[in-house]
Amino acid sequence: MASNGKTSNSFGVPLETYNDYGATDDTSSLANKDFLKNIDDEGPLDFNTKQRNDDPGTYFTDGQRKIDFVLVTEEEKLTEKQQQKKDKEKREQIEAGEEDVDVLHDKWKKKFLHHLSRAGLEMEEDVVESEKKIVTYTKLHAPWSVLVFYAEELSFKSPLQAHPNPSSNWSSKVLNFFHIPNMMAQQVPNQPLDYFTCPFKRSKLDKFLGHENKEHFFSNTERSAIVNEILQTATYGKRKRAEIGIDRLISEEVFMAAFPLHDGPYEKPEHYVSEDSLNKRQILHEYWGRWGCWNKYQPLDHIREYFGEKIGIYFAWLGFYTAWLLPASVVGVIVFCYGILTIGNNVPA
């Protein structure tokens, strides 16, 4: 993730840094640490081969570790008068026996980041300063050991064998049968393959397609889902008080936002490039996310590949629902026009 501001030190620091902010209950590590230590992860990963949708801005500063999620915090720059007013309010809170909100939020944040480190996530900070605010982007990366552990815990489906993915549908078959030109058809490049899959098991890793390429074995959607699971289940206080998860921290304004990154630009390059060399985001924008594509079939396989199954099935249902509303809308327009034309002959009962 590119930034025009200053970059502070990475979070690659010993966990002893956060010793004062350990769990306040008996919560254990989010991941099986014995497995994370003993997993076969010898030697550096091969990061030399990158897919065409990779963007340097979606990597840590070392250019190797991929950014799977970003946490955002903001801090206002106060003038001297504003700072004095704020200090006075803090003193009044302390005198009234209330806990300082800023101190509490800072404590929650450090606990939360500590638990993310215990889960195996790697972190790096980008700090961007403006005239009024200091914005901190905490970039998260899930290493291979964390990915395989949570992929099995979450029962991810992994590919065993690829086979062609047919793109025909019932409406195109009906139009072809009556030799009617299909104005809704379009040729979308880089059609995703379909796979025979089964639940992921790390003990059967060598049986899955692409297991040799650790960087790209899990899709970006799967990587984001794993990190999101860790963020949603990490504690920042006591479980019995439901002090769990990034959503609660965002509602408390400890963090301002949490999101995964898109993969590369969405606009086509100004110079000519072949359709097959477009990244996934550019394909979706060119063949789906434009007004000119309103009358075309949705590239549901591409949507599923980029956004995941839940978003894919949502747009599949939306397209199906909209298509079946068309006949009713045609009838409604005919009835409306008939009513307009015959309004002069209408005799009230």
Side-chain angles (χ1 to χ4, degrees):
M1 181 182 64
S3 171
N4 295 326
K6 299 181 295 185
T7 303
S8 69
N9 291 332
S10 162
F11 268 87
V13 295
L15 293 182
E16 288 79 3
T17 304
Y18 297 108
N19 275 348
D20 293 337
Y21 304 98
T24 55
D25 55 8
D26 294 330
T27 304
S28 61
S29 172
L30 296 176
N32 186 334
K33 300 303 289 187
D34 293 334
F35 166 69
L36 297 183
K37 291 179 181 178
N38 297 329
I39 189 169
D40 180 16
D41 197 11
E42 298 179 357
L45 300 183
D46 180 15
F47 290 102
N48 294 326
T49 304
K50 294 190 176 176
Q51 296 176 339
R52 57 178 165 261
N53 64 322
D54 285 341
D55 178 12
T58 61
Y59 284 80
F60 278 18
T61 52
D62 59 14
Q64 296 183 345
R65 291 174 294 173
K66 187 170 182 60
I67 301 172
D68 297 313
F69 234 88
V70 178
L71 307 179
V72 183
T73 56
E74 290 184 0
E75 180 183 350
E76 290 187 6
K77 284 186 175 181
L78 302 178
T79 63
E80 185 177 351
K81 185 177 292 186
Q82 289 174 329
Q83 187 64 47
Q84 290 175 354
K85 182 180 179 181
K86 187 173 183 179
D87 292 340
K88 182 180 178 180
E89 292 175 351
K90 287 184 178 181
R91 287 194 298 269
E92 292 175 352
Q93 286 180 341
I94 295 173
E95 291 173 358
E98 299 177 1
E99 190 169 5
D100 188 343
V101 175
D102 291 338
V103 174
L104 180 62
H105 284 185
D106 187 59
K107 182 180 178 181
W108 283 352
K109 176 185 174 183
K110 289 180 178 179
K111 282 183 181 180
F112 188 71
L113 294 179
H114 167 63
H115 289 158
L116 296 185
S117 296
R118 289 179 59 192
L121 297 183
E122 298 174 2
M123 308 182 198
E124 185 178 79
E125 274 191 348
D126 274 355
V127 180
V128 180
E129 296 186 18
S130 64
E131 294 182 358
K132 297 183 179 180
K133 290 183 179 180
I134 300 175
V135 182
T136 302
Y137 299 95
T138 304
K139 300 176 287 186
L140 305 179
H141 167 77
W144 173 253
S145 56
V146 174
L147 294 174
V148 294
F149 175 79
Y150 277 95
E152 184 168 354
E153 288 292 306
L154 300 175
S155 299
F156 278 7
K157 301 291 186 182
S158 294
L160 293 171
Q161 183 179 349
H163 63 87
N165 190 357
S167 58
S168 61
N169 53 64
W170 67 269
S171 59
S172 63
K173 292 179 180 178
V174 170
L175 293 174
N176 288 334
F177 179 80
F178 290 103
H179 302 286
I180 300 174
N182 190 355
M183 299 178 61
M184 298 176 289
Q186 61 176 342
Q187 295 296 323
V188 183
N190 300 332
Q191 178 71 13
L193 291 174
D194 204 358
Y195 296 95
F196 296 109
T197 64
C198 74
F200 179 83
K201 297 288 183 182
R202 57 181 182 264
S203 60
K204 305 293 184 181
L205 181 62
D206 59 331
K207 305 297 183 182
F208 296 108
L209 288 180
H211 67 273
E212 306 89 353
N213 189 344
K214 293 182 178 180
E215 186 186 9
H216 293 118
F217 179 78
F218 294 104
S219 67
N220 294 333
T221 304
E222 291 172 328
R223 296 179 68 99
S224 299
I226 288 173
V227 177
N228 183 66
E229 175 67 18
I230 296 174
L231 291 173
Q232 296 295 342
T233 55
T235 60
Y236 58 88
K238 293 186 177 181
R239 283 188 179 274
K240 62 184 179 181
R241 295 180 181 174
E243 295 174 341
I244 304 171
I246 187 63
D247 290 342
R248 178 83 180 272
L249 288 173
I250 291 176
S251 66
E252 295 285 353
E253 297 186 353
V254 177
F255 292 97
M256 303 307 297
F259 51 85
L261 297 179
H262 279 293
D263 303 321
Y266 69 89
E267 295 178 331
K268 292 178 66 175
E270 295 181 359
H271 59 278
Y272 172 78
V273 294
S274 64
E275 298 294 314
D276 292 335
S277 64
L278 297 177
N279 65 37
K280 297 175 183 179
R281 195 179 179 197
Q282 289 169 333
I283 289 175
L284 287 176
H285 179 260
E286 187 69 18
Y287 295 93
W288 179 56
R290 298 185 302 112
W291 285 108
C293 300
W294 71 271
N295 62 331
K296 302 295 184 181
Y297 291 130
Q298 296 185 95
L300 294 175
D301 291 318
H302 293 77
I303 297 171
R304 175 193 177 192
E305 182 184 36
Y306 189 80
F307 291 105
E309 281 74 10
K310 288 186 178 180
I311 303 298
I313 199 169
Y314 167 77
F315 282 105
W317 160 249
L318 193 64
F320 175 82
Y321 178 72
T322 304
W324 279 100
L325 284 178
L326 289 176
S329 65
V330 171
V331 174
V333 169
I334 294 174
V335 172
F336 176 77
C337 293
Y338 175 79
I340 292 295
L341 295 174
T342 60
I343 192 171
N345 300 327
N346 182 39
V347 179

